[in-house]
Amino acid sequence: MLNGKGNLIQKIGKEGRGPGEFQNAGSFLTVHDSLAVTDGPSHKIEVFQYLNTKYEHIRTIDIENQKLLGNLLGLTDKGILLENDIWLSPFAPKNPTETAISFLDHKGDILQDTLFSVPIHEFVVHDNSETAFVRGKIFGNSSKLAYDDNKGRIYSLWTDKLSIDYFTLDGERHHAFSYPLLQPVNITKVERDSALNRLDEPTRDIMRKHMPDVKPIAGHMVVDDQQRLWVELLSEELGHGWFAFSADGEPLFHIKIPHHNAILQDIRGNTFLWNYTNKKGVPTAVKSRVNIPEV
């Protein structure tokens, strides 16, 4: 945990197999005064609480017997939302088409193994003995999820169009809003060649066969502390940037990204937290205050 100047405040946990320890700290999230961290090799979730100016370990949730492995999506009063990563799980089907969102109680017992499911990322699976790999398609679509802990909604976006649904904690699906006039943009020859030239052969030939003709129009998605839904739009019509919508789909604000590979992590009021890799290859976190222009 670092302060706003990047100085270390606290080192949370340590390497190991015991309570509050990790073999490989993976997905993590904070909600109010709680911090949850997954440890894939140990099949557990470690939970910390902010007490007396620091995080203290309060609970270990063992999920080894639940056949689950994935990313934390949200913490609720009833339990934990987990996005299963079927590409990492040894229990996954050979050709999965959807990712299940599971609901666990605070002891790690399954309340619902599939609260709902979403399309998986578009993957290329190649099992030739010389070039075996599982990899996301270049310019492929993916599913994006964002949890609003104030309303208990999990927003879902498939990046080929600006159409957003949400699920409530009972697993019911609802349509939030959509903008059907926004269309994907064709991939130029320069973009195609630039992306493929970073690969070595024969991976390049394999990926070329699976590259789509158009780019997704949407990237990441974040819900801020005022229940505004921020979506990274890649549309040439609107310009690359982040657009804020009300829960009913009313366009509110638009900001440009501060760096070409910056990813928006969190928003509190008009304070934005970004991370990106700078020109020297150093991971960088930037906090900025923005006078948000209306759309």
Side-chain angles (χ1 to χ4, degrees), residues 9-54:
I9 298 176
Q10 181 188 356
K11 187 175 180 180
I12 303 169
K14 62 180 181 179
E15 185 176 1
R17 298 175 180 269
E21 298 176 346
F22 314 98
Q23 292 185 69
N24 184 9
S27 170
F28 77 96
L29 58 82
T30 57
V31 177
H32 304 303
D33 60 352
S34 296
L35 165 68
V37 187
T38 62
D39 183 7
S42 298
H43 290 274
K44 65 178 181 177
I45 302 171
E46 296 290 356
V47 182
F48 302 82
Q49 191 168 9
Y50 194 70
L51 302 167
N52 302 319
T53 71
K54 67 177 183 178

Side-chain angles (χ1 to χ4, degrees), residues 12 14 78 89 122 135 203 248 264:
I12 303 169
K14 62 180 181 179
K78 293 182 178 180
S89 173
E122 290 188 330
R135 165 165 185 170
T203 304
D248 297 325
L264 182 59

